[in-house]
Amino acid sequence: MAMAVQRLFKDAKCTIGPWIEKGFYYDFDYSEAFSDKDLKRIKKEMIKIINKKYELRREEVTREEARARIEAVNEPYKLELLDAIKEDPITIYHIGDEWWDLCAGPHVEDTGKLNGRAIELESVAGAYWRGDENKAMLQRIYGTAWESQEQLAAYKEQKLEAARRDHRKIGADLNLFSIQESVGGGLVFWHPKGAMGVLSSAGLSLMLTAALYSPHVAKLDLWKTSGHFDFYAENMFDQMQIEDENYQLKPMNCPFHIAVYKVDFNLPERFQLEYKTSENDMAQPIMIHRAIFGSIERFFGILTENYAGDFPLWLAPVQIEILPISAKFEDYAQDVADKMKAKGIRAQASLLRVCVQWAELGTVYRYERSGTMHGLFRVRGFTQDDAHIFCLPPQLTDEILGVLNLTEEILSTYGFTDYEINLSTRPEKSVGDDSIWEASEASLKEALERKGWAYEVDVGGGAFYGPKIDLKIKDAIGRKWQCSTIQ
C-alpha cells in the first residue's frame, strides 16, 4: 500500500505501517487529506503491483548504509525509526527494484501471492506521530487483507453486525446514557434506565463485601507513597493546587482502601502494618485486588453490543440469601444453596469470614487523548467494581480461588462463558521483594490449577506492584474483551 501511495502522491512521506488484529494500517505525512476517491485509486494501484508479481527481497545493511539510503530519498520519519532499532544489521525489504522499506519481515516470496480481490482499504483517520500530540498529525490509512474473497465477505458482514450492535447508537435509542462534548469528552452520563443496569451489575460484583466510598481526589503524596506517581503518571491528569498543596484526581481506588486499612500488597512496610502469627512472630498481611468487570462503563458497552440492545428480563441477582446462625451450620447452608441452584434458583450462603472485604463502585479518571476515546470502551471517567480482600498469607490461595468462582458465577449470569485466561508475572519495572513476588505468583498459579482453568503465562505483564490474573470474555460475534482482574 505504501508503494502505491508514493506512486500516486509523490510528496507523501512514509512513517510506520504495522499489522493489527484484522488488517493493517500505514501512516503518511501528506499535505492534502486523502479522500474516498483516493482510496479507490490506491487500491487500483495496489492491484497493479500485485499483478506484476514483484519479488520481495530481503537485504541486510549496516546502520550507516541504511542512514545514507534514507537520507537520499528524504524520509525523515524513517531516520527516527532507524535510531529506535537497537540491533544490527539493519534489514531492508525490496519490492522489485522500485521500492524498499525498513522491515524485520518475513514476507511472501512475491506480490503475486496476495489476493487482490480479498484486500480492502477501509478508512482514513488522523494519528499523531509516535502517539505524541505535540508532534506532527499524520493520515492513517486502514486496510484489511485475507486469503479469499469469502473471508473478506465474512469480515465485512461482521463489521455490519458490529455496526448494528454499536452500543453508542443503541444507548441513544434506548435512552441509556449519553456522552456530551459540551461537558467533556469521555465523561458518561447514565440516564435512569442505564443507571438501573449499572447498579444491577454492581450489585453482583459487590456481593459478600462491605462497601466503601472514597474521595475522587487526594493529596499527591498519597500517589507517591503508593508508587503510582512514579510508574503511572502518564495516565493521570495533571495535579490541581489547593491551598498550596498539590491534589491528584484518582486513576485507581487501591490507595484509598489502603488508607482505611493501612496495608498494601507490596508496600506493607510503608504503611507499617503487622500481625502476630500463631508462633508469636510478627508478619505482614496480604491484600488481594480484584475487579471483575474492570470498567463498568466498558462492560456495559460490551453487554449492550452482545445483546444488541435486546436485554434479557432481569430478575434479582440473588433471589435467596441463606444466613447460618453460627460457623458450624455453614456446610449445611452451602448444601441448601447448592440444591436451590440446581433447581435454577439464584441462591447463596453467606459464610462467616475471617478476612476483611471491602468494595466500592469507584469512579476514576485517566487521561485519554481525544483521538483515542470510543463510546464506552475508552473514556476518561469510568467506574470500577473495585474490592479488596485483606487476608493472612495462609488464606491467600483459598481467597483467590473464591474470587475466581465468584467471577465465573457473575459473568455466566450475563451469558459469558468463553474466557481467555492470562497469568501476568513481574514486569521489568516493579517494586517489592523477590520473595513476595514469588509467593504471590505461586498462589495465583495454584488457584488457577485448583480451578481447572487453562491459562497462558504473560511474562512481564503484571502491574508494577504485583502479579495478576487477567480474564477476557468473548462476545456474540467472537470479539475478546478484557474485563476481570485479580491481583
Side-chain angles (χ1 to χ4, degrees), residues 127-355:
Y128 292 111
W129 170 235
R130 309 300 271 178
D132 187 340
E133 60 192 2
N134 296 313
K135 294 185 177 180
M137 172 61 78
L138 308 173
Q139 295 188 71
R140 175 170 295 176
I141 299 180
Y142 284 99
T144 189
W146 302 85
E147 290 186 81
S148 67
Q149 287 178 270
E150 292 75 17
Q151 289 177 329
L152 176 60
Y155 167 71
K156 287 182 175 181
E157 180 61 30
Q158 186 194 44
K159 283 190 66 179
L160 290 174
E161 181 64 14
R164 185 180 73 84
R165 295 169 179 264
D166 192 325
H167 71 277
R168 293 168 294 180
K169 182 179 185 301
I170 294 171
D173 292 344
L174 299 182
N175 196 25
L176 301 177
F177 70 90
S178 62
I179 299 175
Q180 304 176 29
E181 292 298 327
S182 61
V183 176
L187 302 175
V188 182
F189 288 82
W190 287 108
H191 299 190
K193 292 179 181 179
M196 290 176 64
V198 170
L199 292 174
S200 177
S201 302
L204 279 174
S205 182
L206 299 181
M207 287 191 303
L208 301 180
T209 57
L212 295 179
Y213 192 82
S214 59
H216 287 195
V217 297
K219 291 181 180 179
L220 183 61
D221 289 345
L222 177 67
W223 306 103
K224 290 182 177 179
T225 300
S226 69
H228 289 87
F229 186 76
D230 293 327
F231 292 91
Y232 204 71
E234 68 273 12
N235 297 302
M236 297 161 65
F237 280 97
D238 288 340
Q239 297 83 46
M240 64 186 78
Q241 194 171 66
I242 304 175
E243 295 181 348
D244 298 325
E245 289 188 296
N246 285 327
Y247 280 72
Q248 177 72 57
L249 276 172
K250 65 177 180 181
M252 296 186 181
N253 299 304
C254 310
F256 290 88
H257 289 206
I258 295 164
V260 176
Y261 199 78
K262 297 294 184 182
V263 66
D264 182 52
F265 191 84
N266 268 322
L267 304 177
E269 294 179 3
R270 298 191 186 186
F271 294 96
Q272 300 177 349
L273 188 78
E274 293 182 322
Y275 74 97
K276 186 175 288 188
T277 68
S278 58
E279 291 81 20
N280 289 324
D281 296 324
M282 298 306 294
Q284 294 163 343
I286 295 174
M287 182 182 80
I288 303 169
H289 175 198
R290 65 98 168 145
I292 292 174
F293 294 128
S295 161
I296 292 287
E297 279 76 8
R298 181 169 59 228
F299 183 80
F300 203 83
I302 297 168
L303 195 67
T304 302
E305 297 199 358
N306 187 70
Y307 289 107
D310 185 16
F311 296 106
L313 180 62
W314 289 109
L315 301 176
V318 178
Q319 296 167 313
I320 296 179
E321 184 89 13
I322 303 169
L323 306 174
I325 59 175
S326 71
K328 68 179 181 180
F329 296 112
E330 285 188 346
D331 290 342
Y332 178 71
Q334 187 62 59
D335 182 56
V336 172
D338 291 341
K339 289 179 178 178
M340 288 184 171
K341 288 179 182 177
K343 296 295 185 181
I345 301 171
R346 289 200 291 276
Q348 70 178 26
S350 291
L351 307 181
L352 302 175
R353 290 174 176 266
V354 176
C355 300

Side-chain angles (χ1 to χ4, degrees), residues 1-9 42-43 45-46 49:
M1 183 180 73
M3 179 178 175
V5 168
Q6 290 199 314
R7 274 184 171 185
L8 298 172
F9 306 94
I42 295 168
K43 167 72 178 300
E45 195 66 28
M46 291 171 67
I49 294 170

